[in-house]
Amino acid sequence: MAVSDSVVKKIVLSYTYVAIWIFLSFTVIVYNKYILDRKMYNWPYPISLTMIHMAFCSSLAYLLVRVFKLVEPVSMSRDLYFKSVVPIGALYSLSLWFSNSAYIYLSVSFIQMLKALMPVAVYSIGVLFKKEAFKNETMANMVSISLGVAVAAYGEAKFDSWGVTLQLLAVAFEATRLVLIQILLNSKGISLNPITSLYYIAPCCLVFLSVPWIVMEYPSLRDNSSLHLDFAIFGTNSACAFALNLAVFLLVGKTSALTMNVAGVVKDWLLIAFSWSVIKDTVTPINLIGYGLAFLGVAYYNHCKLQALKASEAQKKAQQADEEAGRLLEQKDGEGNGRKNDNQN
């Protein structure tokens, strides 16, 4: 009975983490849309919003790592920081800037449909950097996802080419960042969780974003005297963004990255439903058919990844068992030789 109770507890906890992550991810996306959209809160400054998030998150991450010492920092040399973390920070700042900018031009539902291209971008860039092996079957699946997104784009009622360009650039930069994390950090044995990621990467983002901010947004903010920073709105928005990073930390730590991928698909469908029913965005049948095709492709991609992961783990276990058997055999041989020597003496 004790075993079944612990299993039930684990399942309940896993679903709780998934629910918290979906809720926070959902909240951050809708909140960002509300702030940036000209028809809602009407504060169309995506770089400023991203910088507020980064300042808030890096401050809290600093407190968690250095002051309260709740999270262990990673030992990292200055050279490694500039060669590995800084390029990742640059890509992250571009990804956040462009994805937040897209909310001004596109509906929440259509943005989620375009985000289905993420596996395509990650796989293509992985092949380019020789981190993924080129397989005809996988590439065919990537083409099917792309076709699905193209159909969804064709059916979009409020298609905006500049908004689509911004979102596609955001996907490309985010995919490159994910591949570079593998190349520049994981290959060197450095693993960053969401809190240490913010601790090291958020200050970089702040520095990189300050350059386009001074040129593109600061003059407008300075001249527009009617604009003021509503601490209740931006404080709660930033708190949600930080809480989302904590939720990722819990979800991946207690379940797996694949669980997050599956939860992400559920969140996307919920956002499309919310966008259509509450925000009153137009979602056409062609939109849904296209996204449905892309969704099937993404689901198959996640299934293949899971199978590969299981095969890799099984191989590791078999290798460990072989090594253990080899050690026992050597031990027995050693003991046998020792006895022979004793008998001869």
Side-chain angles (χ1 to χ4, degrees), residues 170-191:
V171 167
F173 285 123
E174 180 61 9
T176 310
R177 181 183 80 90
L178 293 172
V179 174
L180 279 191
I181 285 172
Q182 284 183 309
I183 297 167
L184 298 176
L185 294 177
N186 297 357
S187 62
K188 295 185 176 98
I190 293 169
S191 178

Side-chain angles (χ1 to χ4, degrees), residues 32-229:
N32 286 355
K33 171 71 176 171
Y34 167 75
I35 289 170
L36 295 163
D37 197 298
R38 293 180 198 279
K39 295 190 195 83
M40 296 182 195
Y41 188 74
N42 190 23
W43 203 78
Y45 299 101
I47 306 172
S48 303
L49 183 66
T50 311
M51 285 177 77
I52 290 166
H53 286 176
M54 289 297 106
F56 185 89
C57 290
S58 57
S59 305
L60 276 185
Y62 180 83
L63 288 173
L64 288 175
V65 174
R66 289 289 172 200
V67 179
F68 300 116
K69 300 193 188 311
L70 293 171
V71 181
E72 274 291 306
V74 175
S75 58
M76 194 184 293
S77 66
R78 189 183 288 259
D79 183 55
L80 182 68
Y81 183 82
F82 282 105
K83 282 182 180 173
S84 300
V85 174
V86 170
I88 290 164
L91 289 165
Y92 193 39
S93 59
L94 289 166
S95 165
L96 291 171
W97 169 19
F98 291 138
S99 64
N100 278 336
S101 300
Y103 288 116
I104 299 169
Y105 306 96
L106 302 174
S107 67
V108 169
S109 55
F110 188 43
I111 285 172
Q112 298 318 116
M113 291 174 192
L114 290 172
K115 280 182 184 175
L117 285 169
M118 187 58 79
V120 180
V122 171
Y123 178 72
S124 305
I125 291 160
V127 168
L128 202 67
F129 284 105
K130 295 186 168 57
K131 287 303 289 180
E132 293 269 4
F134 180 86
K135 289 177 188 164
N136 289 329
E137 187 192 358
T138 311
M139 193 40 90
N141 187 30
M142 296 302 145
V143 170
S144 75
I145 295 170
S146 306
L147 280 172
V149 173
V151 170
Y154 176 76
E156 178 58 21
K158 292 172 185 168
F159 185 89
D160 184 292
S161 54
W162 177 237
V164 170
T165 304
L166 286 168
Q167 187 54 50
L168 293 180
L169 283 170
V171 167
F173 285 123
E174 180 61 9
T176 310
R177 181 183 80 90
L178 293 172
V179 174
L180 279 191
I181 285 172
Q182 284 183 309
I183 297 167
L184 298 176
L185 294 177
N186 297 357
S187 62
K188 295 185 176 98
I190 293 169
S191 178
L192 297 178
N193 63 48
I195 307 305
T196 47
S197 281
L198 287 174
Y199 175 73
Y200 290 108
I201 294 167
C204 276
C205 291
L206 209 51
V207 172
F208 281 118
L209 288 167
S210 63
V211 178
W213 179 76
I214 287 165
V215 177
M216 297 170 74
E217 292 187 5
Y218 174 67
S220 173
L221 285 163
R222 183 192 57 207
D223 300 339
N224 199 334
S225 56
S226 64
L227 284 172
H228 66 282
L229 209 60

Side-chain angles (χ1 to χ4, degrees), residues 210-272:
S210 63
V211 178
W213 179 76
I214 287 165
V215 177
M216 297 170 74
E217 292 187 5
Y218 174 67
S220 173
L221 285 163
R222 183 192 57 207
D223 300 339
N224 199 334
S225 56
S226 64
L227 284 172
H228 66 282
L229 209 60
D230 187 327
F231 286 102
I233 291 278
F234 291 98
T236 50
N237 179 249
S238 300
C240 286
F242 185 78
L244 177 60
N245 279 283
L246 275 178
V248 172
F249 183 37
L250 284 171
L251 185 61
V252 177
K254 304 292 179 188
T255 57
S256 71
L258 202 79
T259 306
M260 199 171 118
N261 281 354
V262 175
V265 171
V266 175
K267 176 208 73 181
D268 290 346
W269 281 108
L270 286 172
L271 274 165
I272 290 166

